Amino acid sequence: MNQLQSYQRDLYYNSLYTIYKCLVIVGIVSILYMFFVQCCPRVMNRAAVVIGALALLAFTVTVLLYPSHINSMTRYIVFALALGLVLILICTIVKYFPSWALNGIFLDYASKFLCARLYAFVLPIVFLILGAAFYFLQLLQYKAFWSFGELRFDPSVDLYHHIKNPTKNIILSIFQIIQIIWGTMFLKEAFNYLISAEAVKWYYGKGSACGNGVFTLVCKHLGSVIACAFMNAFFGIADFVFDAIIPTFNDSNGCFYCINRFAGFFDLARSDALTMVYLSGNAFCNSARYCEYIANRSSDTSYSQSASRIYRFSAHFAIAGVVTLAAFWFFGLKNEVSISAMGILLLISMGVATFFISIHADAGEAILILYLMEYEFF
């Protein structure tokens, strides 16, 4: 029993220290990735998908092969989740393959936009700091939730103290998980709104919208950004899965109307609507519906949430996957790390990398929506 407790304690601290080191690495890699995309966007549009797919596949295999004494059930659960992501990625690549090159074109325009708005490169750092502050407050809140209640501790069985009756603590923690998911996505969509506002001004040859973007975000469209964050946080993954596995439908397909009625709800889970929110001043739902309409008018973007979907998904795994593999095979060979903790590291790394990936992807989506709108009217 003492040996088991010692093993669990060592595994916990080894995993924790590995996560700390890898978070520094993922920050450096994300910054380098952003500048690579800025210098060669069309090449990175292809390379990110290839590297991301290989990294995710390698992570899935590593979960099975990594030497560990943990419960086999934990290993198989992480493996099943990783395998599910691999299958979704394959379906997404197959479905969006025709629009893959199109995303490279608009990444190129996004890099030109950022050349004219160099101060936009500061935004990922700013929002990363805001994210760190948000999670620090969540940590304090978590400690507060689990600091009340009668404690129990049996040194022959337990490694840590436990709450004797944790029902209230668990209920509060469930609400906190909702708060974390929604709050994280709010930061992501607020970042998207500011980038999209700048892209709109650049597209029409106007001056900087930095001050105006912050003002309209706080004073006019805060509700729309919150609504966008809600839809993408709690329905974005379901939309992603649904969009990947359901084939493209058209009016000549007998199942079109049945599927379209069900899929219509997911039309609201699209972040490019914030471009229309800033441009028109309309509410989020109306803007999302209109973006869906103009996207469906083009054969290259019809019945898809975004031409950048392959790129976004793969780019996150290109960065987070490579860093997590390094955690397994570089840090983890010297001192064993927890497989479940490395799964958490994968998710955290994706959260850190998302601002550095989205600066080009959000700008490219905004420019694409503006182009499709001009195509619709002219």
Side-chain angles (χ1 to χ4, degrees):
M1 180 62 67
N2 291 334
Q3 289 181 345
L4 178 60
Q5 288 187 343
S6 177
Y7 167 76
Q8 291 176 337
R9 186 181 295 107
D10 291 342
L11 186 65
Y12 171 79
Y13 284 112
N14 290 339
S15 301
L16 189 62
Y17 293 146
T18 300
I19 289 175
Y20 287 156
K21 295 174 185 176
C22 287
L23 287 180
V24 175
I25 295 173
V26 77
I28 297 172
V29 172
S30 298
I31 294 173
L32 293 175
Y33 176 87
M34 179 179 65
F35 285 108
F36 277 129
V37 176
Q38 179 65 21
C39 296
C40 43
R42 299 197 187 207
V43 174
M44 292 301 295
N45 178 53
R46 302 287 188 179
V49 175
V50 175
I51 297 173
L54 293 176
L56 181 57
L57 183 61
F59 173 81
T60 305
V61 174
T62 297
V63 170
L64 280 182
L65 300 182
Y66 181 73
S68 175
H69 299 90
I70 66 167
N71 189 304
S72 58
M73 183 59 68
T74 302
R75 184 192 296 271
Y76 292 138
I77 290 174
V78 177
F79 172 76
L81 294 174
L83 184 61
L85 291 174
V86 170
L87 295 177
I88 292 172
L89 179 59
I90 292 173
C91 293
T92 303
I93 291 176
V94 170
K95 181 173 183 179
Y96 287 94
F97 188 81
S99 63
W100 189 5
L102 179 66
N103 182 64
I105 295 172
F106 285 94
L107 277 182
D108 195 12
Y109 279 110
S111 67
K112 294 176 182 177
F113 148 70
L114 288 168
C115 282
R117 300 286 198 273
L118 290 176
Y119 49 83
F121 285 112
V122 179
L123 286 178
I125 305 295
V126 172
F127 275 85
L128 199 59
I129 294 172
L130 290 175
F134 172 72
Y135 278 98
F136 178 72
L137 292 176
Q138 293 302 312
L139 179 61
L140 295 180
Q141 189 175 25
Y142 175 81
K143 291 173 65 177
F145 287 167
W146 287 91
S147 63
F148 69 89
E150 184 180 353
L151 297 178
R152 66 173 176 81
F153 178 72
D154 183 355
S156 64
V157 177
D158 297 327
L159 183 61
Y160 309 105
H161 286 81
H162 296 274
I163 303 294
K164 189 173 183 179
N165 185 15
T167 303
K168 295 180 180 179
N169 310 76
I170 293 173
I171 293 174
L172 289 174
S173 296
I174 291 173
F175 283 109
Q176 186 181 15
I177 290 173
I178 296 173
Q179 183 183 47
I180 290 173
I181 295 173
W182 198 349
T184 301
M185 192 56 68
F186 172 77
L187 289 175
K188 165 66 180 64
E189 298 306 340
F191 176 85
N192 176 18
Y193 179 87
L194 295 179
I195 292 293
S196 299
E198 284 289 331
V200 168
K201 290 290 187 179
W202 173 83
Y203 187 87
Y204 290 112
K206 304 295 184 180
S208 171
C210 185
N212 181 255
V214 174
F215 173 78
T216 55
L217 169 63
V218 176
C219 299
K220 294 185 177 182
H221 301 308
L222 185 62
S224 291
V225 176
I226 292 174
C228 181
F230 175 81
M231 289 302 301
N232 283 290
F234 299 106
F235 300 101
I237 295 177
D239 165 65
F240 200 101
V241 175
F242 182 84
D243 199 40
I245 63 177
I246 297 299
T248 302
F249 289 90
N250 52 56
D251 293 339
S252 63
N253 192 308
C255 298
F256 171 75
Y257 291 103
C258 178
I259 296 295
N260 194 47
R261 286 181 181 275
F262 177 73
F265 174 77
F266 293 117
D267 293 347
L268 297 176
R270 54 187 308 145
S271 56
D272 55 1
L274 292 180
T275 303
M276 197 60 60
V277 169
Y278 177 78
L279 182 65
S280 65
N282 289 332
F284 168 74
C285 292
N286 295 335
S287 299
R289 296 291 187 190
Y290 185 67
C291 286
E292 182 75 14
Y293 167 76
I294 61 175
N296 289 344
R297 299 282 290 177
S298 171
S299 59
D300 290 324
T301 58
S302 60
Y303 302 106
S304 63
Q305 297 295 76
S306 170
S308 69
R309 180 151 279 189
I310 297 178
Y311 169 77
R312 281 182 184 271
F313 193 36
S314 302
H316 282 82
F317 287 113
I319 297 175
V322 168
V323 172
T324 307
L325 287 173
F328 269 123
W329 298 114
F330 184 75
F331 298 111
L333 286 182
K334 183 178 180 181
N335 297 301
E336 182 183 343
V337 293
S338 167
I339 291 178
S340 56
M342 294 304 99
I344 295 173
L345 173 62
L346 182 74
L347 298 177
I348 297 175
S349 299
M350 291 171 65
V352 172
T354 191
F355 296 117
F356 299 94
I357 295 170
S358 297
I359 189 171
H360 288 92
D362 288 343
E365 276 192 347
I367 296 169
L368 173 60
I369 287 294
L370 295 171
Y371 170 77
L372 290 175
M373 190 175 65
E374 285 195 356
Y375 178 80
E376 164 70 14
F377 288 106
F378 301 105

